[in-house]
Amino acid sequence: MHCVRKVTDDLYWVGANEKRLHLFENIHPIEDGVSYNSYLLLDEKTVLFDTADWAVGRQFIENVEYVLDGRKLDYMVINHMEPDHCASMEEILLRYPEVTVVSTEKAYMLMQQFGFSVTDNFHQVQEGDTMSFGKHNVVFVEAPMVHWPEAMVTFDTTNGVLFSADAFGSFKSLDGVLFADEVNFDRDWLDEARRYYTNIVGKYGPHVMDLLGKAATIDIKMLCPLHGPVWRKDLGYILDKYVHWATYEPEEKGVLIAYASMYGNTESAAQILAAKLHEKGMHNLRMYDVSKTHQSYLIGEAFKYSHMALLAPTYNLNLFPPMESFMLDMQKLNLQKRVVGVVENGSWAPQSGVVMKEILDSMKQMTVLNEEVSVTSSVSKAVYDELDSLADSIIDSMKQDYKY
Ligand code: FEO
């Protein structure tokens, strides 16, 4: 049975929710699912904006058939060719063989690579090209590396709707929701929107800023992303979040304490540091065991907070692997502009601090605080005092409005 929602008088959400998949892109846990959004415009011409993952293909096709209600499909605009959005293209091509596919040159290449039979029925567009579907006129805006090189967004100049591809998307299935103002987004969705953005698109901040620069020149009334809710109110809220994430500026003054601990001694140091920070008035603090927390969550938190404390034991005369993996992920995602306290542990040849600092040195505008703490097996009185000093140093750096 169909399950659709009306976005405007003549635009429908015809996407579907994925609640069975455990790992998005087979890497990121999605305990609350994800939506694959697709939109169908009923104008003088009928226009489908993107499709959906094949896993939800049956629901998606039912939705398209219901909204078309016997009309033929004239156009299929493909803003993004990653298979979570384009996989059902093939079924659309089979069911609506007269459809014209509209997308970029690079997207056409990907269509061939994925084996979709798009040839004469392809209409290539590039930056600034326009099309009219009757009442609605659209302009195409290239958005390379948001999140793949072929990506574009489509702006409906008639009603101000921006079909924004992966931009402004989020993890979590919609479960009946269509608009962001139907939920408490800040409380219930923001963490998952941040985790989606930072892990999927975080590396490409400058490209996202390019797109935001183009977006600032058009009068956007509504954001229709390919995942998560549609934005029709308070667009400044999500745009502000995107500016922070894309420029690697922290959203909040606060501390992410990420620790690794084999036998509980490094965790003890983390607990003492957390207690000292609270005692000294820093209550915006989250603490995670990197061995138990999927690093996609750690990445989201690292993008959120201004400060980090990283505590890890030495392992094979190197850094404990889950901490190394988390830190290398931060490095690959281009995280910058953070103040970091480092605490190492080693019973006979401590090395983890050296490796952590090497990784931090290879990142941009990361400040490692001078209070380096080295635990030898368990927390001594001297280390306890050093943790107290590290807490002071973290708080002092916040007061100084730290320049990285
Ligand atoms: Fe949701 Fe880059 O695909």
Side-chain angles (χ1 to χ4, degrees), residues 100-121:
T100 296
V101 179
V102 180
S103 197
T104 61
E105 183 179 12
K106 284 197 178 89
Y108 181 79
M109 179 191 78
L110 289 168
M111 288 168 201
Q112 308 310 309
Q113 288 178 197
F114 281 115
F116 298 153
S117 56
V118 178
T119 50
D120 295 341
N121 56 342

Side-chain angles (χ1 to χ4, degrees), residues 24-25 36 80 82-85 146-148 165-166 196 200-201 226-227:
F24 185 78
E25 295 184 345
Y36 306 113
H80 185 22
E82 192 165 8
D84 55 331
H85 308 296
V146 187
H147 131 244
W148 277 16
D166 271 346
Y196 166 81
I200 307 295
V201 199
L226 288 176
H227 304 284

Side-chain angles (χ1 to χ4, degrees), residues 189-400:
W189 280 78
L190 178 60
D191 287 346
E192 285 296 86
R194 184 190 304 105
R195 190 167 69 90
Y196 166 81
Y197 171 86
T198 56
N199 285 279
I200 307 295
V201 199
K203 181 179 177 62
Y204 306 113
H207 298 88
V208 174
M209 285 307 291
D210 285 347
L211 177 60
L212 293 178
K214 293 178 186 178
T217 66
I218 53 182
D219 187 16
I220 300 170
K221 298 280 197 298
M222 193 178 286
L223 294 167
C224 290
L226 288 176
H227 304 284
V230 168
W231 289 84
R232 65 180 172 183
K233 292 181 184 170
D234 204 9
L235 271 56
Y237 168 90
I238 193 68
L239 285 164
D240 177 67
K241 296 295 180 194
Y242 261 68
V243 169
H244 279 86
W245 300 336
T247 56
Y248 307 100
E249 293 289 343
E251 278 170 78
E252 296 180 8
K253 280 193 178 175
V255 187
L256 162 64
I257 298 181
Y259 71 91
S261 192
M262 295 165 65
Y263 300 109
N265 291 299
T266 315
E267 179 180 348
S268 172
Q271 293 285 3
I272 292 165
L273 178 62
K276 293 289 178 192
L277 285 164
H278 275 290
E279 198 172 72
K280 295 168 193 293
M282 171 34 65
H283 305 301
N284 195 17
L285 182 160
R286 290 300 302 269
M287 187 165 136
Y288 296 91
D289 180 344
V290 298
S291 296
K292 291 182 179 167
T293 312
H294 191 277
Q295 68 190 35
S296 65
Y297 292 91
L298 301 172
I299 290 293
E301 296 290 64
F303 271 71
K304 176 178 177 181
Y305 293 114
S306 58
H307 287 61
M308 271 186 277
L310 304 174
L311 305 89
T314 302
Y315 200 82
N316 286 330
L317 295 179
N318 209 297
L319 177 57
F320 192 69
M323 179 62 81
E324 182 182 37
S325 177
F326 166 47
M327 293 187 69
L328 291 177
D329 203 14
M330 283 196 282
Q331 179 202 58
K332 287 172 195 157
L333 290 169
N334 243 333
L335 183 69
Q336 309 165 24
K337 306 178 184 175
R338 296 300 186 273
V339 180
V340 188
V342 169
V343 177
E344 70 172 2
N345 194 349
S347 288
W348 71 92
Q351 189 65 18
S352 51
V354 171
V355 180
M356 284 193 278
K357 277 183 275 179
E358 281 174 359
I359 296 172
L360 292 166
D361 283 347
S362 71
M363 299 165 71
K364 292 178 192 157
Q365 299 185 75
M366 301 293 272
T367 302
V368 180
L369 293 169
N370 288 330
E371 285 70 12
E372 293 165 16
V373 181
S374 187
V375 181
T376 43
S377 301
S378 67
V379 176
S380 63
K381 176 65 174 74
V383 165
Y384 183 91
D385 291 342
E386 287 167 10
L387 290 167
D388 187 65
S389 296
L390 178 58
D392 281 335
S393 183
I394 289 171
I395 289 172
D396 283 349
S397 73
M398 289 179 180
K399 288 178 187 159
Q400 290 165 16

Side-chain angles (χ1 to χ4, degrees), residues 18 54 67 140 154 171 177 330 400:
E18 167 67 275
W54 185 239
V67 174
F140 303 101
T154 304
F171 289 143
V177 170
M330 283 196 282
Q400 290 165 16

